[in-house]
Amino acid sequence: MSEEPALWIKDPLAILADGAERGIVLRGNRIVELVPTGRTANTPDAKVFEAGEHVVLPGLINTHHHFYQTLTRAVPAALDRELFPWLDALYPIWARLTPDALDLGVTLAMAELILSGCTTTTDHHYVFPGGLEDSVDIEVAAARRLGLRVLLTRGSMNLSQRDGGLPPDSVVQDEDAILADSERVVTRHHEAGEGAMVQIALAPCSPFSVTTSLMQKTAALAARLGVRLHTHLAETEDENRFCQEKYNCRPLDYLEDCGWLDDRVWLAHGIHFNDTEIKRLARAGTTISHCPCSNQTLASGTCPVCAMEEAGVGIGLGVDGSASNDGSNLMQEVRAAFLLQRSRYGVKRVSHTDALRWATKGSAACTGRSDIGEIAVGKMADLALFKLDEPRFSGAGDPLAALVLCGAHRADRVMVGGRWIVEGGEIPGLDLPALIRRHSAAALRLQSGH
Ligand SMILES: [Zn+2]
């Protein structure tokens, strides 16, 4: 018998798993047993955690974010703008990012996510002004401190205004530097296989901020290194026009020309695809990160989630960057996705369980992982436990539905790989008020330029 201790999470108020009415047993970092109605756990040495006040979900998985943007929330100059003018307002501020500010921005974003029930997150970091060469390393260190599972991307921009792109010259890097650093961070940090805590993917920012050559070479590098690929695509009509004018094709055609249309790729947004393009995505196994809050804030449009799922395209959820959300609460994103997609497709095609599935199993597919996103034997012990003890839940009937319909926003307990990283609604070892003070000061410095 294994020497690792076992834990029975016993008699939950509700759990998002069939045949686990009396709970689940964990050993080490994995789920080893589901306990059905009328049975007791078969694991004799399991300690017991009484979960009678908890609704248990698989840990939520965030498939799109820009952590550094927690430093530029609700910036006055960017209010009430659509994507391209919104970026124009923010690029000069982001160009002033420093390593200390990034560390605070990343730590705060991760804390927000964790407290909302997130156990795995991606991040898309694509601004590398001078002095920020170690951005991904800073992110890896923060994830390890907090015990959060991550798929961090080495993002990039190399098509600036001087070459017909959108970003100013000061925030882009040259192709050789990007490719060399991409290989460095994968070699240094990427863990392959089940149970990985840190993985790396490569992520040129978007068709309007990266050259064709960099798109192609990044795809080739990802294939050689065995890592995933991510970018923004089909977010706005502006992007359609840009691709038509610069490349004489639509964004998905451009993606395919760059060697990107395959199952190694997950795309943020995917709003403006037509029916033929949706079929091509399904055939290729390319998945989509749906970001409902960001899409509504920037008035980008509504991702056709049901049409895509029915065609066979995998859908995950992302909070997107905190400059366009402007929060990093993944449980609130579940509710936002539920409301937005239900208003589009109606009560027969969208239920609260669909929205929970997008944030768990659907998001796991975006990250290319089969060991997370579900409560099942052999999967990682990544869990989010919510209490229904706030006024918003009082008198609720179905506990799982209540999480989505009444607006759950803070987990009471969160576990990653068998280890509690949130207890009693707090992150042990993290002085959250001090972090908020330092983060707020850094954000104001960045925004004011002093
Ligand atoms: Zn984004």
Side-chain angles (χ1 to χ4, degrees), residues 32-49:
V32 294
E33 187 183 350
L34 306 189
V35 188
T37 310
R39 304 282 288 275
T40 59
N42 283 326
T43 311
D45 60 334
K47 290 196 172 136
V48 169
F49 174 81

Side-chain angles (χ1 to χ4, degrees), residues 64 66 232 269 320:
H64 188 61
H66 313 286
H232 296 94
H269 305 303
D320 202 359

Side-chain angles (χ1 to χ4, degrees), residues 64-66 69 124 126 232 235 268-269 294 320-321 324:
H64 188 61
H65 206 328
H66 313 286
Q69 290 183 10
H124 187 178
Y126 56 83
H232 296 94
E235 183 174 1
H269 305 303
S294 170
D320 202 359
S324 65

